[in-house]
Structures are given as structure tokens and as C-alpha cells.
């Protein structure tokens, strides 16, 4: 793993220095006509795919500012004026605000909990020899491959028997449990790359095992923790199946449930602009996280892919 | 070390393991037992009926219809998605403006990287609601576009049409998935040593030749893993389908197995039967994964 990390960084550096050499070799020999057509075609395809990626979302944002009339009469046009009251209506009347708060509470608490638990498990699995270690490791990793819907029915009854249907902590615990496999898997390989000498030195100086973990290793693991936390945030904000089984009352539903409710209601209540405003509100945290961390997300993905 | 070590290990593992066993391991284990009962939600009426659920399932036409849709997705979505992703990755990370030696990629490849990945972070439910309106017969962007460019005959209620509903949903699945595999393949291609490409160019290999003889074999592992991973996603697919056509589409034309499971369990209350559906789907998946791994096995190339 250590070598993989180094490899990734090295390749990236190599890749970034390359354009200069390219420039030189390119000047010696100009591109042929056939090559130019091919380049034109491939650049064209790249631009088209970029548009396909972005247009639906730009359209959603524009539509969120329109009146219902405008939505139907000029789907491609710009809104006549920027109506922010659509967002106010979505937040209050359509109760997107309530769902937004529910989602935020559950997702933030789950991410914090799963990062703490995941790091504890991963650290122990990566740094200590003890009987049953491999069994525990594979039990966690195996959880990544099983589809959730297979567990759905029994899970519903377990949560019901614990009296946790329609509670924040019920969904938080379930989210945490289902995010553990991914978290443990990635953090275990991450902790293996960290130098153990520091923790050992700290323990020689009288630090306890737990003290070495919280004071030395956890701060050292920060880059890995951030990557995994972002993935967990995006994944759990996205989650739909688990809350569908656990959050039954409208007071506790999360944003993804709320939006589908709103979408199916819109048919007869016809407040389309509020629905689109609701979509944009729900998308906002994701866009913020992505914009802030997109390099980290893609690097995390690449490291995972090359292992 | 030594004294206190095991106490420390136990204290770190206890809570997470308890949580994991209660909410993840035990439901999976229970699923196999529940699938052999006629359970309808009251523990008093839980009778062991062996394989009866599976026998009923074998003759359940709607189940097979849903399974057929899943298999279609399983074949079409990965092939198209990975094809597009491979093409885009080749263009941006190996394409270059001046022949094959360009490893820096085309101008603005960083921009493409950010844009292409974006649909993947859009929550699936959001994409579902958004595209439901994209396909809307009156206000939808798609029909408006078709009218603008004069293809009026192609205008139709996309999601209300038994022929076009499933392809319409498939497009959304592909839209959301390409970015992820694009980034993955780009990273894999960048990890292939430059000299391999240089040697190929010196030997006079063209673009196509380089792609099929060098790039593809070099990143075969990534492609294989991606196919399996995308396959798992396609066997589920619940979120998008439930967000776009919760009733399974016109005449069940977009019903998939996970939706059928949900319907049997939480609408009809047949929990035993629903769990049997889950187990059957899981077994199908395992068989397919093994077949796919064997069929696509190649010599691993070390570099």
C-alpha cells in the first residue's frame, strides 16, 4: 500500500511534467490531416459529453426560478425574473426545510460516528496481531459485496423490535452500521501505510494504547479520514432504501423521501417551481462538498482503484 | 506492549462489532431462514415451509419479467457505460493534440475531469426526479428539444410508453455512472509507464492499434472489477426506478426485482416471499459474478 501511494504521486508528477516534452516532439512533426479530423471528432465528443453532464442540472437551476406558466410555455427559456420566493415556498409549504434538517441531523451524526468507530476498528486490525483478526476483517469487507435489499425485511423487524422506527438514533445507528464495511476497508489499508514507530515511541514515554491512537495516530491519519468521510457523506445523503424502511412518519422522513413525495404530489397540487427549488436546495450541500473537495474525491478514488 | 493489549483491542472492537452484528450480519443471516417461512409480519404465524416460496417464485411470471429487466440492465448498462468511459478516458489522458506521445491529455483535461464526474455525485433520487421532468410529455426538455429541431414525430410520453420507458431509465443510469468509471480508467491509464506507449509509437503502431494492444490489456483488471461492480449496482437499481416510476412503469414494463421485493414486503406484507426473492436474486448474482470472472480472465500483466 505504501508503495502504491508513492506510485500514484510519482505518476501524477510524471504526468504533469509531460506536456513540455510533448510540445517539443510535436513541433518537429506536425499532425497529419487524418489526425486532425480525429482530434476534432474526439474534442467534439468531449464537449458533447460535458454538455450532457451539465445541462440537466443547469436546466433544473433555471427552472427553479420560473413560474409554473413559464415552465410549461418556454422550457428552454430563461426565467422572466429571478423568483426567490419559489425557494421560500419549497422550504416552508412543501416542507423541504423539515426534510433537509432531518437529513442533516442523521447524516452528520452518522458520519461522525462511523468515522470514529471505523477508525478504531481499522487501527486495531491494521496494527495489532490477535486471534480472530482475519475473521473480523473479512466479516467487515464481506459486507461491502452483499446487496442491502436482501437484508431489508429482517432489518425492518430488528429496528421495530428495538423500538427505533421513526427515530433519529435508529436511522443513525443503521447508517453507521452499513457505512462501516467501506470505512473499515479503506482505513485499514490507510493505517498500514502510516509509520508505527511514532505510536511505539509514545507508548515508551508512558502513553496508553488508546492515548497513542487518539493523540498520535488519528491526527496522522487525517488525509485518509477526510477522503473517507466525504465518500460517506455523499453516500448517506444519497441513501433512499434504508430510510424508506425505517422512517415511516412524515415528521422523520429524510430529503430523498421528501423529494419523491413532493414529486408525486405535484401532479395534482401543481407547484412545479417549488419542486424544482426543492431539488436545488437538496443538491446544494452536495455541490458545496464536491466543489470544495473534488480533488480529494478523485484522488481517493484513484488510490482505491490502483490498489 | 503485552499487558493491557487485549483489553485495549476488545474495548476498541466491542461497540462497532455489536452494531455491525445486530444491524448488518444478523439481517443477512436471518434472511435465509425467513425465505423458508410463510411469514406475514406476526411472529406467532411464522411457519417453516421449506422451499415452497422458491417453488412459487419459479412460476411467478411477474418475478421473471422483473428478472428479465434486471438482466437487460446488467448487459446493456455496463457495456455502454464502460465503453463511453474508456473512450473519454483515452481521449483526455492519452489523446493529446500532437500524436501518441502526448500523455498530458487534451487541453483542459482537468476541466473535463471535474465536469464528467459531477453527475455521479448528484443524489440518485434527485437525478430521478429531475429526469422524470426531462421526459415529461408537456413541460419536458426532451420533447421541447425534439419540437425545436423538427422531429415532431418522435415526441411521445416517454415514461408512459411500454416500449420506451425502460430505455429512458437506462439512459439515466448510464448518465449517472459514466463519470465514476471515467475517473477510474483515467487513473489506471496514467499508471501505465510512458515508455510502453513510446515504444509502441516508435514501432509505428497507430492509435487504434495502441488502444487495443497496449491500453486495453494494461488496464484490463480495472475494467473487469468495474464490470462486476456495475453489475452489482444494476441488480439493485431500486432508488432510481422507485424515484421515477414507483409503480413499476406502464404495464410493469420497468419493474425490477428489488422493486418487486419491496412491493411484496411492504405493500402486500408477504415478508417470507419477499425475502425469498432477495435470496434468489443474490444467488443469481453470485452465479453471474463467477461466470463473468471466469469468462473475462486473462493473464495479469505486471508493470
Amino acid at each position: 500500500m505504501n508503495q502504491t501511494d508513492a506510485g500514484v504521486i510519482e505518476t501524477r508528477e510524471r504526468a504533469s511534467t509531460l506536456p513540455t516534452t510533448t510540445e517539443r516532439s510535436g513541433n518537429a512533426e506536425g499532425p497529419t490531416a487524418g489526425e486532425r479530423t480525429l482530434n476534432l471528432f474526439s474534442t467534439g465528443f468531449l464537449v458533447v459529453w460535458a454538455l450532457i453532464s451539465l445541462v440537466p442540472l443547469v436546466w433544473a437551476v433555471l427552472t427553479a426560478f420560473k413560474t409554473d406558466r413559464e415552465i410549461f410555455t418556454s422550457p428552454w427559456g430563461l426565467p422572466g425574473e429571478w423568483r426567490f420566493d419559489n425557494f421560500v415556498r419549497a422550504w416552508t409549504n412543501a416542507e423541504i426545510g423539515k426534510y433537509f434538517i432531518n437529513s442533516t441531523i442523521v447524516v452528520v451524526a452518522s458520519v461522525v460516528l462511523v468515522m470514529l468507530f471505523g477508525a478504531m476498528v481499522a487501527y486495531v486490525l491494521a496494527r495489532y496481531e490477535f486471534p480472530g483478526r482475519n475473521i473480523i476483517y473479512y466479516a467487515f469487507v464481506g459486507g461491502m459485496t452483499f446487496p442491502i435489499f436482501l437484508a431489508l425485511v429482517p432489518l425492518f423487524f430488528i429496528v421495530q423490535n428495538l423500538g427505533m422506527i421513526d427515530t433519529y438514533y435508529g436511522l443513525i445507528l443503521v447508517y453507521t452500521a452499513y457505512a462501516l464495511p467501506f470505512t473499515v476497508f479503506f482505513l485499514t489499508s490507510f493505517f498500514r501505510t502510516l509509520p508505527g514507530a511514532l505510536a511505539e515511541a509514545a507508548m515508551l514515554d508512558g502513553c496508553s494504547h488508546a492515548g497513542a491512537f487518539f493523540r498520535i495516530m488519528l491526527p496522522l491519519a487525517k488525509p485518509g479520514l477526510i477522503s473517507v468521510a466525504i465518500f460517506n457523506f455523499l453516500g448517506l445523503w444519497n441513501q433512499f432504501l434504508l430510510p424508506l424502511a425505517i422512517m415511516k412518519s412524515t415528521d422523520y422522513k429524510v430529503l430523498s423521501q421528501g423529494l419523491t413525495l413532493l414529486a408525486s404530489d405535484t401532479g395534482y397540487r401543481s407547484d412545479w417551481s417549488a419542486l424544482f427549488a426543492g431539488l436545488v436546495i437538496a443538491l446544494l450541500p452536495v455541490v458545496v462538498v464536491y466543489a470544495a473537495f473534488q480533488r480529494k474525491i478523485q484522488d481517493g478514488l484513484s488510490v482505491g482503484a490502483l490498489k | 506492549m503485552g499487558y493491557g493489549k487485549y483489553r485495549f483491542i476488545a474495548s476498541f472492537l466491542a461497540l462497532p462489532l455489536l452494531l455491525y452484528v445486530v444491524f448488518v450480519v444478523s439481517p443477512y443471516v436471518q434472511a435465509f431462514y425467513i425465505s423458508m417461512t410463510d411469514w406475514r409480519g406476526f411472529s406467532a404465524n411464522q411457519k417453516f415451509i421449506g422451499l415452497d416460496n422458491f417453488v412459487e417464485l419459479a412460476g411467478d411470471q411477474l418475478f421473471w419479467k422483473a428478472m428479465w429487466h434486471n438482466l437487460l440492465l446488467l448487459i446493456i448498462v455496463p457495456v455502454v457505460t464502460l465503453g463511453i468511459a474508456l473512450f473519454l478516458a483515452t481521449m483526455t489522458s492519452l489523446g493529446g493534440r500532437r500524436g501518441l506521445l502526448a500523455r498530458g491529455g487534451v487541453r483542459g483535461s482537468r476541466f473535463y475531469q471535474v465536469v464528467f464526474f459531477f453527475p455521479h455525485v448528484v443524489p440518485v433520487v434527485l437525478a430521478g426526479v429531475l429526469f422524470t421532468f426531462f421526459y415529461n410529455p408537456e413541460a419536458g426538455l426532451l420533447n421541447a428539444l425534439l419540437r425545436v429541431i423538427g422531429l415532431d414525430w418522435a415526441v411521445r410520453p416517454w415514461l408512459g410508453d411500454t416500449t420506451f420507458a425502460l430505455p429512458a431509465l437506462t439512459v439515466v443510469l448510464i448518465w449517472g455512472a459514466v463519470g465514476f468509471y471515467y475517473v477510474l480508467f483515467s487513473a489506471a491509464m496514467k499508471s501505465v509507464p510512458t515508455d510502453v506507449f513510446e515504444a509502441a509509437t516508435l514501432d509505428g503502431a497507430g492509435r487504434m492499434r495502441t488502444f487495443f494492444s497496449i491500453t486495453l490489456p494494461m488496464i484490463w483488471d480495472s475494467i473487469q472489477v468495474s464490470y462486476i461492480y456495475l453489475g452489482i449496482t444494476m441488480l439493485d437499481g431500486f432508488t432510481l426506478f422507485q424515484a421515477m416510476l414507483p409503480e413499476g412503469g406502464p404495464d410493469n414494463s420497468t419493474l425490477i426485482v428489488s422493486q418487486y421485493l419491496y412491493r411484496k414486503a411492504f405493500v402486500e406484507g408477504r415478508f417470507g416471499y419477499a425475502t425469498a426473492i432477495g435470496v434468489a436474486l443474490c444467488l443469481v448474482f453470485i452465479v453471474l459474478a463467477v461466470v463473468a470472472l471466469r469468462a473475462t480472465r486473462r493473464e495479469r500483466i505486471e508493470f
Side-chain angles (χ1 to χ4, degrees):
Chain A
M1 183 63 207
N2 211 346
Q3 288 158 336
T4 320
D5 267 350
V8 170
I9 293 159
E10 197 190 305
T11 345
R12 202 172 298 129
E13 275 165 5
R14 230 194 299 161
S16 62
T17 57
L18 265 159
T20 43
T21 48
T22 314
E23 221 74 61
R24 235 178 289 130
S25 65
N27 282 341
E29 234 176 282
T32 64
E35 197 114 289
R36 229 176 287 138
T37 335
L38 198 64
N39 280 341
L40 206 65
F41 169 74
S42 53
T43 312
F45 192 81
L46 292 178
V47 172
V48 167
W49 193 262
L51 285 177
I52 290 174
S53 304
L54 287 184
V55 164
L57 300 155
V58 174
W59 177 61
V61 173
L62 288 180
T63 308
F65 288 99
K66 292 180 180 174
T67 61
D68 281 351
R69 228 186 100 73
E70 280 175 325
I71 292 176
F72 280 91
T73 51
S74 64
W76 282 93
L78 287 172
E81 60 177 290
W82 300 90
R83 289 177 199 80
F84 285 95
D85 57 304
N86 289 348
F87 289 86
V88 177
R89 242 177 23 258
W91 186 268
T92 51
N93 297 7
E95 302 194 306
I96 288 295
K98 189 176 72 187
Y99 302 131
F100 190 94
I101 291 166
N102 287 345
S103 267
T104 310
I105 293 172
V106 173
V107 172
V108 168
S110 309
V111 171
V112 170
L113 200 59
V114 78
M115 291 317 292
L116 177 69
F117 281 2
M120 284 160 56
V121 173
Y123 178 70
V124 170
L125 291 177
R127 289 253 160 252
Y128 291 86
E129 280 291 347
F130 58 94
R133 187 179 75 157
N134 283 337
I135 296 172
I136 293 175
Y137 178 73
Y138 285 110
F140 275 112
V141 173
M144 280 202 300
T145 54
F146 277 95
I148 292 182
F149 56 82
L150 177 58
L152 199 63
V153 171
L155 177 69
F156 169 75
F157 285 99
I158 289 168
V159 175
Q160 196 182 46
N161 290 339
L162 292 169
M164 289 181 184
I165 295 288
D166 283 335
T167 60
Y168 288 135
Y169 60 90
L171 192 58
I172 291 170
L173 291 181
V174 169
Y175 271 6
T176 306
Y178 280 84
L180 267 177
F182 166 78
T183 312
V184 167
F185 176 67
F186 271 83
L187 288 183
T188 303
S189 45
F190 194 79
F191 274 119
R192 285 201 183 120
T193 68
L194 295 180
L198 275 173
E200 276 154 32
M203 277 189 281
L204 283 179
D205 287 347
C207 216
S208 65
H209 288 281
F213 170 72
F214 283 111
R215 288 200 217 127
I216 314 281
M217 296 310 275
L218 215 48
L220 268 183
K222 214 167 135 193
L225 292 175
I226 291 174
S227 287
V228 177
I230 295 164
F231 275 107
N232 279 332
F233 173 83
L234 293 173
L236 293 177
W237 191 263
N238 204 341
Q239 186 52 251
F240 182 59
L241 190 56
L242 290 173
L244 211 54
I246 290 165
M247 297 308 214
K248 299 290 187 186
S249 134
T250 32
D251 280 344
Y252 289 99
K253 286 191 166 153
V254 298
L255 205 47
S256 46
Q257 290 172 291
L259 282 171
T260 49
L261 268 184
L262 188 57
S264 55
D265 278 0
T266 307
Y268 44 92
R269 256 202 275 139
S270 80
D271 192 351
W272 301 69
S273 42
L275 173 65
F276 275 91
L279 280 182
V280 173
I281 293 172
L283 193 58
L284 220 55
V286 176
V287 173
V288 169
V289 168
Y290 182 55
F293 297 107
Q294 50 90 8
R295 197 171 274 271
K296 268 211 122 35
I297 292 172
Q298 300 199 348
D299 288 357
L301 204 66
S302 315
V303 173
L306 298 175
K307 196 163 23 250
Chain B
M1 301 286 213
Y3 177 72
K5 179 183 141 188
Y6 287 106
R7 221 174 52 187
F8 164 73
I9 292 171
S11 70
F12 262 39
L13 287 179
L15 269 180
L17 260 183
L18 179 72
L19 201 62
Y20 189 66
V21 168
V22 170
F23 289 112
V24 183
V25 178
S26 92
Y28 283 124
V29 174
Q30 284 183 45
F32 287 93
Y33 176 73
I34 294 176
S35 72
M36 289 187 248
T37 67
D38 62 351
W39 198 26
R40 285 174 182 268
F42 303 99
S43 39
N45 301 335
Q46 190 174 354
K47 203 174 80 205
F48 185 82
I49 54 169
L51 295 176
D52 283 7
N53 281 330
F54 293 93
V55 173
E56 188 186 339
L57 205 55
D60 185 337
Q61 299 224 323
L62 214 46
F63 169 74
W64 288 110
K65 189 171 185 176
M67 186 62 99
W68 171 242
H69 294 150
N70 271 104
L71 290 180
L72 278 179
L73 293 177
L74 193 71
I75 294 162
I76 294 166
V77 175
V79 168
V80 178
T81 305
L82 300 185
I84 296 175
L86 263 178
F87 184 76
L88 293 173
T90 315
M91 287 309 149
T92 53
S93 51
L94 303 175
R97 283 166 297 133
R98 296 201 174 111
L100 283 161
L101 285 177
R103 284 291 305 279
V106 292
R107 200 191 287 267
S109 61
R110 182 77 211 147
F111 165 79
Y112 289 124
Q113 202 128 39
V114 173
V115 170
F116 291 167
F117 192 71
F118 186 56
H120 185 76
V121 297
V122 174
V124 180
V125 170
L126 285 191
V129 177
L130 190 60
F131 275 93
T132 309
F133 287 87
F134 178 79
Y135 289 126
N136 185 285
E138 297 112 54
L141 206 52
L142 182 58
N143 279 348
L145 180 69
L146 290 172
R147 287 196 190 96
V148 166
I149 58 176
L151 295 173
D152 286 73
W153 55 269
V155 169
R156 64 191 79 234
W158 295 93
L159 297 179
D161 187 315
T162 48
T163 321
F164 287 93
L166 191 61
L169 296 192
T170 310
V171 167
V172 184
L173 285 172
I174 295 168
W175 177 81
V178 165
F180 182 87
Y181 297 96
Y182 162 73
V183 170
L184 225 115
F185 292 154
S186 298
M189 284 179 191
K190 278 181 188 138
S191 74
V192 177
T194 328
D195 18 326
V196 184
F197 289 98
E198 284 170 355
T201 314
L202 287 177
D203 289 344
R207 264 172 209 257
M208 283 305 203
R209 187 66 205 269
T210 313
F211 178 77
F212 285 106
S213 305
I214 311 271
T215 317
L216 213 51
M218 284 296 215
I219 65 166
W220 190 251
D221 273 358
S222 299
I223 297 174
Q224 203 183 18
V225 170
S226 300
Y227 201 102
I228 305 260
Y229 188 74
L230 203 50
I232 301 180
T233 329
M234 286 311 110
L235 277 185
D236 186 346
F238 179 81
T239 307
L240 184 76
F241 280 64
Q242 192 73 7
M244 290 185 77
L245 290 168
E247 308 296 328
D251 192 23
N252 289 315
S253 60
T254 65
L255 183 74
I256 51 172
V257 177
S258 48
Q259 266 181 313
Y260 191 53
L261 184 158
Y262 186 82
R263 187 193 286 181
K264 284 288 167 202
F266 293 101
V267 180
E268 296 177 18
R270 295 191 60 193
F271 293 103
Y273 191 65
T275 314
I277 295 174
V279 171
L281 189 57
C282 198
L283 292 179
V284 168
F285 164 70
I286 292 170
V287 170
L288 286 176
V290 171
V291 170
L293 272 174
R294 291 202 151 244
T296 59
R297 192 166 53 183
R298 287 194 182 187
E299 284 294 301
R300 198 195 153 92
I301 298 162
E302 298 287 344
F303 56 85

